[in-house]
Amino acid sequence: MHLFFFWLRFFGYKQPMDGSDDEQASTIFGRRPSQPRTSIMYNPDEVRNIDSAVVPLDGDLASVRRSTHRRSAIDLVRGELGATADVRRSMDNAPTRQKFMAAPLNTYTDFTTMHVGRLTKIVSATHKFTGAEVAIKMYDRTTLSSDQEKEVAKEVQILRKAKGASGIVEIEKCIEDDYMTAIVLCCCTGGSLAKRLEDAGGKMSEAMAVRDVVRPLVAALAWLHEHNVVHRDLKPTHILYDEYNGLHITDYFSAAIMGKTDLTLREGTLAYMAPEVVSKPADYEMLHKVLDAGLSDTELVRYDEKVDIWSLGVIVIEVLTGHQPFLADSPEKMMAMQKQELQGDRWGGVLDFMRDQEVLSLPGQDFLSSILKINPNERPSARTLMGHKWLAENVEENGSQKTPESPKSPKSPKSPKSPKSPNAPNFPMSPEVPKVQN
Ligand SMILES: Nc1ncnc2c1ncn2[C@@H]1O[C@H](COP(=O)(O)OP(=O)(O)OP(=O)(O)O)[C@@H](O)[C@H]1O
C-alpha cells in the first residue's frame, strides 16, 4: 500500500486536503479546483437539438483531454458502460469542464454496444432531451492509418450527401476530435437483413423477397449510382430496416465516389464480390502484383457501379435459398468458381439450380440471369432494373406472378437428368457446410 502511494506521489498525485469527492476527482484529473472550469462553446445543457453540424472540439479542449487520463469520448462511453460505481461517482462529481470533455456525446444516454467491427464500435444510445434512439458508429482515430482516416472522411461525406434519400441510412451528425470520430446515425430498430433471414429460418418467400428486399434495394442503388456512389460492400449485414419496415443501406466505409476514388482495388466481401473486383489486387498487393509487374496503377482497368448489381444478384439467391451461391477461400478460387458457375449464355450451375428449385417465377429467373453476368457491361443498371417486370408485378405468396402471361416456372426439361457437373463446387450447399460469416 505504501509503495502504491509512493508511486502515486512519484507521478505527481497529491492527496486531497479534505478528501472530498470533488476535490479528489479534480486532483486525479490533474487540475486544482481553483482553475477555470467552464466553457461557452460546448455546454451539454445547451445542446438540446440534434442537428447535422459537425462538432469539432477546439484545440483547448483537446489539450485538456490530453492532460487527463480520459483521453477520448470513446473512453467516456466505455466508462459509462462498464465503469465501477467509484469511477462513475467521480465522473458525476467532476468539475463542469471535465464532464464537458465529450459534451456532444453527453447529450446521449443508455449506451449499449450493438456491434464491434474491424475498426469500429457501434453503440445504440438515446438522446437525453428528444428521446430519439440513435446508433453511434465510433472510430478510435488513434488506431487508424492515414488512409483509413480518409475512408472515414469519405464515409461521412457520402452520408451527408445522401441525407434524406430514401433507402440510405440517415446521418444525424458527426462528432470528431483528435481521438475519435463518432458518426451519429438514425437507429434502424428493425435489425439487419441477415438477422431477418436468421429469424425466418434462413430464407424468404419470393413475394416477401421482392417486397421487402429487392424492390427497395434496387431503388436505393439507383439513387446511389446516379449520385456517383458505388457501395462496394453490399451484403445482408449492411442492409438495415427501420421500425416501419423501410430498408436502409449502411456502411459506406468501403464505398467509392466515382471520379474521386480509385476503382482499381479489391474491396468488399469475397462472397458478394463481382468478378471484375475479385481479380483486382488488394491495396497491400498493389506494389507487388502491379508495379513490380511493370504496370502502373493507371493502367489497371477500372470497374464501376455494376459491381453492386452483382452483389444484388448474390443477395437475391441467398434470400431465396438461404445459401450464399459463391463460396471460396481465396480470390483465385473465387474467380474460377464464378466462371464455372456462369460460363457462356446457357443456364448452368447456380442459375440452373435456381430454376430447378422452383423458388423463382419466370420473371424472377429473368431478373437474376440478367444480373449475374461475368461481363459487367452486360449487367443492367439499377434504374433499368426498377422497370423490370419482376418488380413491377405483384408476386403472390405462393411464388406465382398474378399476370396470366407469367406462369409459374416450369421445371427444366433436362433438370431431373442434368446433375451438376461433377466438379461443381459449393452450390447448392449441403446443410452441413457452414455459412461464411461476414
Ligand atoms: N444505424 C444503425 N441502426 C441500427 N443498427 C446499426 C446501425 N448501423 C450499424 N448497425 C449495426 O451494426 C452492424 C455493423 O454496422 P457497420 O457495417 O456499419 O459497422 P462496421 O464497423 O463497418 O462493421 P464491420 O467491420 O463488421 O463491417 C450492422 O450490421 C447493424 O447490426
Side-chain angles (χ1 to χ4, degrees), residues 108-140:
Y108 297 97
T109 183
D110 298 334
F111 295 99
T112 308
T113 302
M114 292 197 285
H115 176 86
V116 178
R118 196 167 52 92
L119 301 168
T120 60
K121 188 170 176 183
I122 315 277
V123 179
S124 72
T126 309
H127 195 271
K128 281 181 185 167
F129 308 114
T130 65
E133 202 172 333
V134 293
I136 308 177
K137 184 170 186 175
M138 307 184 92
Y139 287 95
D140 185 345

Coordinates of all heavy atoms in Angstrom, one line a residue, residues 108-140:
Y108 N -26.4 12.1 -24.9 CA -27.0 10.8 -25.1 C -26.8 10.0 -23.8 O -25.9 10.2 -23.0 CB -26.3 10.1 -26.3 CG -26.6 10.8 -27.6 CD1 -25.6 11.6 -28.1 CD2 -27.7 10.7 -28.3 CE1 -25.8 12.3 -29.3 CE2 -27.9 11.3 -29.5 CZ -26.9 12.1 -30.0 OH -27.1 12.8 -31.1
T109 N -27.7 9.0 -23.7 CA -27.7 8.1 -22.5 C -28.0 6.7 -23.0 O -28.3 6.5 -24.1 CB -28.6 8.7 -21.4 OG1 -28.5 7.8 -20.3 CG2 -30.1 8.7 -21.9
D110 N -28.0 5.8 -22.0 CA -28.3 4.4 -22.3 C -27.4 3.8 -23.4 O -27.9 3.2 -24.4 CB -29.8 4.2 -22.7 CG -30.7 4.6 -21.7 OD1 -30.3 4.6 -20.5 OD2 -31.9 5.0 -22.0
F111 N -26.1 4.0 -23.3 CA -25.2 3.4 -24.3 C -25.2 1.9 -24.3 O -25.0 1.3 -23.2 CB -23.8 4.0 -24.1 CG -23.7 5.4 -24.4 CD1 -23.7 6.3 -23.3 CD2 -23.6 5.9 -25.6 CE1 -23.6 7.7 -23.5 CE2 -23.5 7.3 -25.8 CZ -23.5 8.2 -24.8
T112 N -25.4 1.2 -25.4 CA -25.3 -0.2 -25.4 C -24.6 -0.6 -26.7 O -24.9 -0.2 -27.8 CB -26.8 -0.8 -25.5 OG1 -27.5 -0.3 -24.4 CG2 -26.7 -2.3 -25.3
T113 N -23.6 -1.4 -26.5 CA -22.8 -1.9 -27.7 C -23.6 -2.9 -28.5 O -24.1 -3.9 -27.9 CB -21.5 -2.5 -27.2 OG1 -20.8 -1.6 -26.4 CG2 -20.6 -2.9 -28.4
M114 N -23.8 -2.5 -29.8 CA -24.5 -3.4 -30.6 C -23.6 -4.3 -31.5 O -24.0 -5.4 -31.9 CB -25.4 -2.6 -31.6 CG -26.5 -1.9 -31.0 SD -27.7 -1.4 -32.2 CE -26.9 0.0 -33.0
H115 N -22.5 -3.8 -31.8 CA -21.6 -4.5 -32.8 C -20.2 -4.0 -32.6 O -20.0 -2.8 -32.4 CB -22.1 -4.2 -34.2 CG -21.3 -4.8 -35.3 ND1 -21.4 -6.1 -35.7 CD2 -20.2 -4.3 -36.0 CE1 -20.6 -6.3 -36.7 NE2 -19.8 -5.2 -36.9
V116 N -19.2 -4.9 -32.6 CA -17.8 -4.5 -32.6 C -17.2 -4.9 -34.0 O -17.2 -6.1 -34.3 CB -17.0 -5.1 -31.5 CG1 -15.6 -4.7 -31.5 CG2 -17.6 -4.7 -30.1
G117 N -16.9 -3.9 -34.8 CA -16.4 -4.2 -36.1 C -14.9 -4.2 -36.2 O -14.2 -4.1 -35.1
R118 N -14.3 -4.3 -37.4 CA -12.9 -4.3 -37.5 C -12.2 -3.1 -37.0 O -11.2 -3.1 -36.3 CB -12.6 -4.5 -39.0 CG -11.2 -4.9 -39.4 CD -11.2 -5.3 -40.9 NE -11.7 -4.3 -41.8 CZ -11.0 -3.4 -42.3 NH1 -9.7 -3.3 -42.1 NH2 -11.5 -2.5 -43.2
L119 N -12.8 -1.9 -37.2 CA -12.2 -0.7 -36.8 C -13.2 0.1 -35.9 O -12.8 1.3 -35.5 CB -11.9 0.2 -38.0 CG -10.9 -0.4 -39.0 CD1 -10.9 0.4 -40.3 CD2 -9.5 -0.4 -38.5
T120 N -14.4 -0.4 -35.7 CA -15.4 0.4 -35.0 C -16.1 -0.3 -33.9 O -15.9 -1.4 -33.7 CB -16.5 0.7 -36.0 OG1 -17.1 -0.5 -36.4 CG2 -16.0 1.5 -37.2
K121 N -16.8 0.6 -33.2 CA -17.8 0.1 -32.2 C -19.1 0.7 -32.5 O -19.1 2.0 -32.7 CB -17.3 0.5 -30.8 CG -18.0 -0.1 -29.7 CD -17.2 0.2 -28.4 CE -17.9 -0.3 -27.2 NZ -17.2 0.0 -26.0
I122 N -20.2 0.0 -32.7 CA -21.5 0.6 -33.0 C -22.3 0.5 -31.6 O -22.5 -0.6 -31.1 CB -22.3 -0.2 -34.0 CG1 -21.4 -0.5 -35.2 CG2 -23.5 0.6 -34.4 CD1 -21.2 0.5 -36.3
V123 N -22.7 1.7 -31.2 CA -23.3 1.8 -29.9 C -24.7 2.4 -30.1 O -24.8 3.4 -30.8 CB -22.5 2.7 -29.0 CG1 -23.1 2.9 -27.6 CG2 -21.1 2.2 -28.8
S124 N -25.7 1.8 -29.5 CA -27.0 2.4 -29.6 C -27.1 3.4 -28.3 O -26.5 3.1 -27.3 CB -28.2 1.4 -29.5 OG -28.3 0.8 -28.3
A125 N -27.9 4.4 -28.5 CA -28.0 5.4 -27.4 C -29.3 6.2 -27.6 O -29.9 6.1 -28.7 CB -26.8 6.4 -27.4
T126 N -29.7 6.8 -26.5 CA -30.9 7.6 -26.6 C -30.6 9.1 -26.3 O -29.8 9.4 -25.4 CB -31.9 7.1 -25.5 OG1 -32.0 5.7 -25.6 CG2 -33.3 7.8 -25.6
H127 N -31.2 10.0 -27.1 CA -30.9 11.4 -26.8 C -31.6 11.8 -25.6 O -32.8 11.5 -25.4 CB -31.4 12.2 -28.0 CG -30.9 13.6 -28.0 ND1 -31.5 14.6 -27.4 CD2 -29.7 14.2 -28.5 CE1 -30.8 15.8 -27.5 NE2 -29.7 15.5 -28.2
K128 N -30.9 12.5 -24.7 CA -31.5 12.8 -23.3 C -32.7 13.7 -23.4 O -33.6 13.6 -22.6 CB -30.4 13.5 -22.5 CG -29.4 12.6 -21.9 CD -28.4 13.3 -21.0 CE -27.3 12.4 -20.5 NZ -26.2 13.2 -20.0
F129 N -32.8 14.6 -24.4 CA -33.9 15.5 -24.4 C -35.0 15.2 -25.4 O -36.2 15.3 -25.1 CB -33.3 16.9 -24.7 CG -32.2 17.3 -23.8 CD1 -30.9 17.5 -24.3 CD2 -32.4 17.4 -22.5 CE1 -29.9 17.8 -23.5 CE2 -31.4 17.8 -21.6 CZ -30.1 17.9 -22.1
T130 N -34.6 14.6 -26.5 CA -35.7 14.3 -27.5 C -36.1 12.9 -27.4 O -37.2 12.5 -27.9 CB -35.1 14.5 -29.0 OG1 -34.1 13.5 -29.2 CG2 -34.6 15.9 -29.2
G131 N -35.3 12.0 -26.7 CA -35.7 10.6 -26.6 C -35.5 9.8 -27.8 O -35.7 8.6 -27.9
A132 N -34.9 10.5 -28.9 CA -34.6 9.8 -30.1 C -33.5 8.7 -29.9 O -32.5 9.0 -29.3 CB -34.2 10.8 -31.2
E133 N -33.8 7.5 -30.5 CA -32.8 6.5 -30.4 C -31.8 6.6 -31.6 O -32.3 6.8 -32.8 CB -33.5 5.1 -30.5 CG -32.6 4.0 -29.9 CD -33.4 2.7 -29.7 OE1 -34.6 2.7 -29.6 OE2 -32.7 1.7 -29.8
V134 N -30.6 6.5 -31.4 CA -29.6 6.6 -32.4 C -28.6 5.5 -32.4 O -28.5 4.8 -31.3 CB -28.8 8.0 -32.3 CG1 -29.6 9.2 -32.5 CG2 -28.0 8.1 -30.9
A135 N -27.9 5.3 -33.5 CA -26.8 4.3 -33.5 C -25.5 5.2 -33.7 O -25.5 5.9 -34.7 CB -27.0 3.3 -34.6
I136 N -24.5 5.0 -32.9 CA -23.3 5.8 -33.0 C -22.2 4.9 -33.5 O -21.9 3.9 -32.8 CB -22.9 6.5 -31.7 CG1 -24.1 7.3 -31.1 CG2 -21.8 7.4 -31.9 CD1 -23.9 7.9 -29.8
K137 N -21.6 5.2 -34.6 CA -20.5 4.4 -35.2 C -19.2 5.1 -34.8 O -19.0 6.2 -35.2 CB -20.7 4.3 -36.7 CG -19.6 3.5 -37.3 CD -20.0 3.2 -38.8 CE -19.0 2.2 -39.4 NZ -19.4 1.9 -40.8
M138 N -18.5 4.5 -33.9 CA -17.3 5.2 -33.3 C -16.0 4.6 -33.8 O -15.8 3.4 -33.8 CB -17.3 5.1 -31.8 CG -18.6 5.5 -31.2 SD -18.6 5.5 -29.4 CE -18.0 7.1 -29.1
Y139 N -15.2 5.5 -34.4 CA -13.8 5.1 -34.8 C -12.8 5.7 -33.8 O -12.9 6.9 -33.5 CB -13.5 5.7 -36.2 CG -14.2 5.1 -37.3 CD1 -15.4 5.6 -37.8 CD2 -13.7 4.0 -38.0 CE1 -16.1 5.1 -38.9 CE2 -14.4 3.4 -39.1 CZ -15.6 4.0 -39.5 OH -16.2 3.4 -40.6
D140 N -11.9 4.8 -33.3 CA -10.8 5.3 -32.5 C -9.7 5.8 -33.4 O -9.0 5.0 -34.0 CB -10.4 4.1 -31.6 CG -9.3 4.6 -30.6 OD1 -8.7 5.7 -30.8 OD2 -9.0 3.8 -29.7

